[in-house]
Amino acid sequence: MNPFVESNDIRHDADALRARADRDGYLFFRAFVAAEPIVEARREIAATLQQAGWIDADTDPFEAITSHPALISGMKEHQPVYDSVQRLESFHALGHDTKLFAVMNALLGPEVLLQPGNIARFIFPSKLEYTTPAHQDYVHIQGTPDVWTAWLPLGDCPRELGGLSLLPGSHKIGVLPVTKARGAGGLRSDTAPIDTEWISSPFELGDVLFFHSHTVHQGLPNLSGNRLRLSVDYRYQKASDRVMDRVLEPHQGRLSWEEVYRDWRSDAFQYYWKKFSLNPVAKQPWPVEEPIEEKD
């Protein structure tokens, strides 16, 4: 599998960033975000997971070693632990990193909205059939197509931990038909019309992958055998564009913002989106095609 094109050499050239983003539908940077805020978020998330029994007792939670049976987002046992992570200030604060916003300002302009419904992911090294299928984010987040996701692993993510792969240029083909699938989001995009090859790279602490809401991407299986893969998704758009109402709520919608903020040390990143005159729209049902049955 070919690697991502690295964009560190043009990080300060807004015109070059826009041209490459328009060409490829993604931007990849090495050692981009400072280690400290990532490590802080990882330690707090890992401590939460260890307390829940997902990370083995008597191990360093930072290593995320697990012998727990795999839990998938949406399972009842997954929900209270995920909600505990949603309450962590360090997890939300990381999305406000100034370098992330610098890239988004280059692509989107001066008034950028970080959608507040930030996402954390914990991928177990089993039940590999639930690895996130090929999909486009727009199907799930709607609003404006001009949304960019920043995907950060919370620590090194070598090949055996999986990571993310994508189809470069696939953002130009429009929104593809979807069928039901296992894994995050529950929908798989039909990639048959795309003639490019999947690309990916191993990630290290501080690396960031940005991609457009139409860019087809998928998770890679966690083949580590005994470690959780921890990552976060932050999504950005122009504040003046339409925004789906659900992404203005804590992710998965079980908590209020008052519950999320209850134990925060600072109010710097609380209710920040209220400074904008937003145009929220309701999520619409998405048409799902029946999968084609394979013949023997």
Side-chain angles (χ1 to χ4, degrees), residues 202-264:
F203 289 79
E204 297 179 354
L205 179 67
D207 294 352
V208 182
L209 178 66
F210 297 91
F211 51 89
H212 188 268
S213 77
H214 283 184
T215 301
V216 178
H217 58 287
Q218 65 181 5
L220 295 175
N222 179 353
L223 303 176
S224 67
N226 68 346
R227 294 180 61 206
L228 285 167
R229 182 173 80 236
L230 309 181
S231 65
V232 290
D233 294 12
Y234 302 114
R235 291 177 176 145
Y236 305 83
Q237 65 169 84
K238 293 179 182 179
S240 58
D241 283 347
R242 297 192 307 172
V243 56
M244 189 181 74
D245 51 5
R246 293 189 189 179
V247 303
L248 301 176
E249 303 170 353
H251 186 233
Q252 297 190 355
R254 289 181 295 273
L255 298 175
S256 66
W257 286 114
E258 290 77 11
E259 291 171 309
V260 169
Y261 296 149
R262 184 170 296 154
D263 297 322
W264 284 27

Side-chain angles (χ1 to χ4, degrees), residues 1 13 16-17 22 28 44 74 81 100 107 136 166 169 181 206 227 236 245 260 263 266 275 285 295:
M1 190 179 294
D13 186 336
L17 287 173
D22 179 67
F28 179 63
E44 293 194 359
V81 180
L100 299 179
L107 298 186
Q136 297 168 299
L166 59 77
R227 294 180 61 206
Y236 305 83
D245 51 5
V260 169
D263 297 322
S266 168
K275 68 182 179 182
K295 297 181 178 179

Side-chain angles (χ1 to χ4, degrees), residues 1 37 54-55 63 103 108 116 127 135 149 163 181 187 208 213 220 242 245 257 275 287 294:
M1 190 179 294
W54 295 12
I55 291 175
E63 296 300 318
V103 174
L108 298 171
K127 288 196 175 181
H135 68 284
T149 294
L187 296 175
V208 182
S213 77
L220 295 175
R242 297 192 307 172
D245 51 5
W257 286 114
K275 68 182 179 182
E294 296 184 3

